[in-house]
Amino acid sequence: MSNTPEKKGVSAVDFFCIGFGAIVGVGWAVAINGWMTSCGGPIPAAIGYIVALVMMVPIALCYCELVPMLPVAGGGMAFAYKAFNETVSFISGWAAFGAFVSIIPWEAIQITDVLGYLIPGIKTGPILYKVAGEPIYLITIIIGTVASLLLFALNMRGLAAAASVQKILCFILVGAAVIGAIASLIGGNADNWKPIYDVTDPTIYGNPADGLKQVSHNSMFGGILAILASAPFFLAGFETIPQGIEDAGGDVASVGKTVVLSVVLACVFYAILLFCFGYAWKWQEFAHMSNPSAATMFKSLYPGAVGGVLYWLITLGAIAGLFTTWNGFFMASASLLMAMGRGNLVPGVFAKQNKNGIPVPGLLVCLLLSLIGPFLGAGLIGSITSFSAAAFVLSWCITSFSLIRLRKIAPDMERPYKIPGGVAMGGFSALITTVVFILLFVPNNPVYMGKTASIMFVGWMVIGFILYAISGVQRKAISKADREAAMFGHATHED
């Protein structure tokens, strides 16, 4: 198309940093003790991420084939459009968009939370109000707002600029995590892993008679599976790669492979840190440490100046990770909304780009959602995490079925990279994601995401279908051929 902006030449290395940085984020520093307790110990939690790796690699391989095959913004939404129809495409896109945009305010909430540990004075002064029991302060709203505006300004410069910052932040977060892992192995003890599995500590899990926090498993196998309730949220950053593919330079097949690489390394990264941090300190005590829990643990492990330096280092790594996820999903959310606008699955205004190819209307929506975060506070983080996980799994499930169908209905379509196993691999991915998605809504099983998150998910999808029905008139006014040309005219490989 003549009005297609020029490629920015974003390399496969840049895309890897975007994807890996968006995956790893801040969770390893602030949520790792929560993973231990939800699984009954660091060992089942670490093994759980290896199980998650088995689940995620087939999903990532589906993207590995489909991304260079259809190198357009939209990711799973675009794949479903080509494989099925606009309704299935909308379901995939709306679910993914809900998952994407829930991460944006999540990060805006976390920035004030994490900075509050480095600068205690942030969370002082009069309490404006409370949300889910958590106090909201004026200064935290200001910090979240300023950070949101800075990210908006960065992404207005384009993916290439955002990718350059992403590489620097990735180096900081990985460096901090590696130093933390080494310090854990030097100062720790294998006895801290014991008991390998336990959900009876009343200081953590409470007494069932008192109605305190409980877990939905009573075996190590259940504890291993429990990580799957939140793992999709903490592994979903690879989705940022397909959304930026139109800015790729060079071999798009290598860009597709970065999806798999980023997922594999992120799962291994989480598993290693769970083993190491669980080795460093008795995990039942680690469970009670204030956030950022990993940094706080080092203060206890190394009293004095060394512990203080490690505390600051790990916390700065957490902040870097927070921005890598926030930055990655800021642009990815805008690109997905732009792609849905091209197909008139949402109002066409969101398809607009400025002269530099920046999806400004989508970025403005992301800015608005990001600005909402500081006003909500940390009380809703758990439910937002689970809702986002379910939405991601639904989108991945549809992508898996899309690969299978495209292999059957478009066998001659150019595929710069064909995944090993072909339809069988896609079928395995579809089976896993279908089972996990169902279990997320079934009470009293280790994967259940909870009542609040379930209501949020159903509500989000209902809202989406209402908007989809309302936009039907606008869609019908444009021919299917024109809609497909708008969506896929940006692809380098035509079928």
Side-chain angles (χ1 to χ4, degrees):
M1 296 177 65
S2 61
N3 61 343
T4 301
E6 290 186 11
K7 302 281 186 185
K8 308 300 188 301
V10 180
S11 69
V13 174
D14 291 325
F15 275 107
F16 170 76
C17 290
I18 290 171
F20 182 79
I23 292 175
V24 171
V26 71
W28 65 275
V30 302
I32 197 163
N33 58 342
W35 298 344
M36 293 179 187
T37 57
S38 67
C39 296
I43 300 299
I47 296 174
Y49 265 108
I50 301 302
V51 172
L53 175 61
V54 175
M55 177 185 83
M56 294 300 299
V57 165
I59 297 169
L61 282 170
C62 290
Y63 280 85
C64 187
E65 175 169 311
L66 293 171
V67 166
M69 176 181 165
L70 291 168
V72 295
M77 183 277 300
F79 309 149
Y81 196 104
K82 182 69 83 172
F84 296 102
N85 53 54
E86 61 187 20
T87 301
V88 178
S89 175
F90 177 79
I91 293 172
S92 176
W94 186 252
F97 184 64
F100 282 20
V101 297
S102 64
I103 289 176
I104 294 173
W106 194 95
E107 301 296 337
I109 292 168
Q110 286 283 18
I111 184 63
T112 57
D113 205 39
V114 174
L115 283 177
Y117 304 118
L118 281 179
I119 311 170
I122 286 177
K123 291 190 173 183
T124 57
I127 297 174
L128 299 181
Y129 53 90
K130 291 186 177 182
V131 177
E134 289 290 327
I136 308 297
Y137 301 91
L138 176 61
I139 186 64
T140 60
I141 290 176
I142 293 173
I143 291 172
T145 299
V146 170
S148 299
L149 290 170
L150 288 174
L151 272 181
F152 173 76
L154 172 64
N155 280 277
M156 280 295 292
R157 297 182 60 194
L159 186 63
S164 297
V165 174
Q166 194 84 343
K167 281 193 286 190
I168 297 171
L169 294 173
C170 268
F171 178 80
I172 295 172
L173 82 88
V174 171
V178 168
I179 292 172
I182 293 172
S184 297
L185 294 176
I186 293 174
N189 189 304
D191 288 339
N192 291 326
W193 284 333
K194 300 177 182 177
I196 297 298
Y197 173 82
D198 179 46
V199 290
T200 62
D201 188 328
T203 66
I204 301 174
Y205 303 102
N207 186 331
D210 297 331
L212 299 179
K213 178 183 176 182
Q214 299 299 308
V215 290
S216 55
H217 53 85
N218 53 19
S219 68
M220 185 165 172
F221 179 70
I224 291 170
L225 293 182
I227 202 70
L228 298 182
S230 61
F233 175 87
F234 289 105
L235 292 172
F238 76 86
E239 280 265 26
T240 58
I241 295 173
Q243 302 307 327
I245 190 66
E246 289 181 16
D247 286 320
D251 182 11
V252 291
S254 64
V255 175
K257 294 173 186 177
T258 64
V259 174
V260 179
L261 183 62
S262 62
V263 168
V264 170
L265 292 183
C267 285
V268 172
F269 178 89
Y270 285 145
I272 289 175
L273 289 186
L274 279 160
F275 278 120
C276 292
F277 290 175
Y279 182 87
W281 200 260
K282 192 169 182 62
W283 70 267
Q284 293 94 334
E285 295 179 12
F286 191 14
H288 297 291
M289 290 184 178
S290 60
N291 269 331
S293 55
T296 303
M297 180 265 292
F298 284 109
K299 273 190 171 181
S300 301
L301 184 61
Y302 292 98
V306 173
V309 170
L310 286 171
Y311 177 87
W312 274 81
L313 181 64
I314 298 300
T315 304
L316 289 174
I319 293 172
L322 186 154
F323 275 104
T324 58
T325 302
W326 201 357
N327 180 39
F329 276 102
F330 215 97
M331 178 56 81
S333 299
S335 295
L336 175 55
L337 194 58
M338 176 188 70
M340 294 179 73
R342 287 173 177 171
N344 290 101
L345 303 179
V346 296
V349 65
F350 292 109
K352 292 184 177 180
Q353 298 170 273
N354 66 12
K355 63 180 182 180
N356 297 317
I358 311 300
V360 178
L363 282 177
L364 288 171
V365 170
C366 294
L367 174 62
L368 175 62
L369 292 166
S370 188
L371 292 173
I372 290 173
F375 290 89
L376 295 178
L380 296 175
I381 278 183
S383 296
I384 290 174
T385 300
S386 297
F387 156 76
S388 185
F392 274 123
V393 172
L394 176 57
S395 178
W396 298 339
C397 181
I398 294 174
T399 293
S400 303
F401 281 107
S402 296
L403 180 135
I404 297 170
R405 182 162 173 78
L406 285 171
R407 279 284 186 117
K408 292 180 178 179
I409 67 172
D412 298 326
M413 199 169 179
E414 185 178 351
R415 290 169 171 82
Y417 177 76
K418 287 188 176 183
I419 62 171
V423 171
M425 182 65 72
F428 183 56
S429 176
L431 175 64
I432 291 174
T433 50
T434 300
V435 170
V436 172
F437 181 72
I438 293 171
L439 290 176
L440 282 166
F441 292 90
V442 178
N444 301 318
N445 85 85
V447 186
Y448 178 51
M449 66 177 174
K451 182 178 179 180
T452 302
S454 299
I455 293 172
M456 289 173 65
F457 179 86
V458 172
W460 175 258
M461 296 308 295
V462 168
I463 291 171
F465 277 115
I466 292 172
L467 294 175
Y468 180 66
I470 292 173
S471 63
V473 175
Q474 181 186 35
R475 252 190 328 278
K476 291 176 182 178
I478 303 171
S479 71
K480 183 179 179 181
D482 287 342
R483 293 201 304 273
E484 288 192 358
M487 289 184 68
F488 300 107
H490 301 256
T492 16
H493 303 292
E494 301 293 343
D495 56 320

